[in-house]
Amino acid sequence: DAGVTQSPTHLIKTRGQHVTLRCSPISGHKSVSWYQQVLGQGPQFIFQYYEKEERGRGNFPDRFSARQFPNYSSELNVNALLLGDSALYLCASSSGLAHTEAFFGQGTRLTVV
Amino acid sequence: AQSVTQLDSQVPVLEEAPVELRCNYSSSVSVYLFWYVQYPNQGLQLLLKYLSGSTLVESINGFEAEFNKSQTSFHLRKPSVHISDTAEYFCAVSDTENYGQNFVFGPGTRLSVLP
């Protein structure tokens, strides 16, 4: 069975541009959460979606948005990119809202120049 | 709100030596505790977790952690490390509702196993 898949694996963008990151959860999982991991730090929660509805939002500006599709895949969008948005973006998949059985993808490495 | 402290940012250790990675947390409510491992250029993998019951939890690759409520700690230990254990280790805590927004990671400890 495929695990959590994220695309692209690496991305370079210029300041002010927009970026879309994608995540496909494990088959049967209905919850997707997004985390930002800045170099040298632990992951920080951005969003959780469950059954296509937003169920949690971290302390991130409105430039960050996300959505979940009927097949439970998800997109994370970031507008007006800043240098500080450079990070590894991780997607976590779980069958329900709880993270006791969450599985993480390999992440998307975003570099803003 | 919960918080996690991992006092050691880097831990070098010789192969086959024992290791302890420290994790302390702060919370006003009951918590679940986790250790994740991150190998270079990869995502996070769950190593072990404490939800309830026995305060000593073990992983399949020889790591163990003990939940100490009085000291608010969840230190990770392994009696004999291998080169392949070289990775970043993250302690995480959540309240018992355990939703994503309640999941807080520590800053991580980089374990380097030297030959």
Side-chain angles (χ1 to χ4, degrees):
Chain A
D1 284 341
V4 181
T5 57
Q6 292 186 244
S7 63
T9 54
H10 295 84
L11 202 53
I12 299 175
K13 289 286 190 178
T14 304
R15 277 178 297 175
Q17 285 189 314
H18 162 270
V19 69
T20 297
L21 310 181
R22 295 178 176 82
C23 172
S24 293
I26 291 171
S27 177
H29 283 193
K30 298 180 179 180
S31 172
V32 169
S33 295
W34 287 95
Y35 292 82
Q36 180 195 66
Q37 185 180 13
V38 174
L39 197 62
Q41 298 182 20
Q44 291 201 351
F45 172 77
I46 310 175
F47 288 108
Q48 182 175 15
Y49 276 77
Y50 177 71
E51 288 279 21
K52 293 158 281 183
E53 292 187 3
E54 182 183 302
R55 299 301 296 266
R57 173 186 285 256
N59 187 25
F60 281 82
D62 291 343
R63 298 185 296 108
F64 288 76
S65 64
R67 55 179 175 168
Q68 187 176 34
F69 298 99
N71 66 354
Y72 302 111
S73 67
S74 177
E75 283 183 355
L76 175 69
N77 294 284
V78 186
N79 292 323
L81 285 167
L82 303 174
L83 295 179
D85 295 331
S86 295
L88 180 68
Y89 288 84
L90 295 165
C91 171
S93 154
S94 55
S95 56
L97 277 168
H99 268 44
T100 49
E101 294 294 342
F103 296 86
F104 284 80
Q106 303 262 58
T108 294
R109 172 74 62 188
L110 172 65
T111 302
V112 182
V113 297
Chain B
Q2 291 73 242
S3 66
V4 178
T5 302
Q6 293 180 251
L7 288 175
D8 305 306
S9 59
Q10 297 186 61
V11 174
V13 62
L14 293 175
E15 191 174 18
E16 298 183 5
V19 70
E20 180 179 79
L21 305 184
R22 295 181 292 169
C23 171
N24 288 88
Y25 69 92
S26 172
S27 177
S28 58
V29 299
S30 297
V31 296
Y32 293 156
L33 292 156
F34 305 80
W35 275 100
Y36 281 85
V37 59
Q38 186 175 37
Y39 298 102
N41 300 313
Q42 294 191 23
L44 300 174
Q45 298 177 30
L46 179 65
L47 195 57
L48 46 75
K49 62 187 177 185
Y50 170 78
L51 303 181
S52 65
S54 173
T55 57
L56 183 66
V57 290
E58 299 177 350
S59 73
I60 58 172
N61 57 353
F63 283 95
E64 66 177 29
E66 186 160 18
F67 170 52
N68 188 319
K69 188 175 182 179
S70 62
Q71 297 188 8
T72 60
S73 68
F74 190 56
H75 301 331
L76 181 70
R77 296 187 291 263
K78 190 171 185 179
S80 176
V81 294
H82 303 289
I83 297 289
S84 59
D85 293 325
T86 294
E88 190 92 20
Y89 291 79
F90 293 94
C91 181
V93 63
S94 76
D95 63 22
T96 53
E97 289 193 338
N98 194 229
Y99 304 154
Q101 66 192 66
N102 303 325
F103 216 67
V104 178
F105 286 88
T109 296
R110 181 172 299 278
L111 174 64
S112 299
V113 181
L114 310 172

